[in-house]
Amino acid sequence: MYHVLILHFDDTYFYQRNLRKKAFAEIDLRSLKETKFMCPEDRLKLIEKRIPLHQSLITFIGKGDYHYISFLFLKE
């Protein structure tokens, strides 16, 4: 089980070394296009496959431009 998961959609947390030391898992999603604010359904399904939804207690998702990710966690 991961206690802290960081999703890197942008550089919000990428350079925060103290926070990253406490994370048990990080997923770099910065290369994905069309993910800011909203994303197409096919892209959301791709993201869902890359995120271990059942394994984290706390997930950092960025500066708020990626709020739709909450849907994936709530869906579970």
Side-chain angles (χ1 to χ4, degrees), residues 3-6 16-25:
H3 296 286
V4 177
L5 171 65
I6 298 175
Q16 295 185 29
R17 291 185 179 106
N18 288 334
L19 175 64
R20 292 182 69 199
K21 285 180 194 176
K22 296 175 178 149
F24 283 79

Side-chain angles (χ1 to χ4, degrees), residues 11-47:
D11 292 336
T12 300
Y13 304 117
F14 198 74
Y15 298 106
Q16 295 185 29
R17 291 185 179 106
N18 288 334
L19 175 64
R20 292 182 69 199
K21 285 180 194 176
K22 296 175 178 149
F24 283 79
E26 299 180 61
I27 299 174
D28 192 351
L29 301 165
R30 293 176 297 161
S31 64
L32 294 177
K33 304 297 182 215
E34 301 178 23
T35 60
K36 194 169 185 178
F37 303 119
M38 293 184 71
C39 71
E41 188 176 347
D42 62 328
R43 189 67 37 106
L44 188 61
K45 288 179 182 180
L46 176 67
I47 293 169

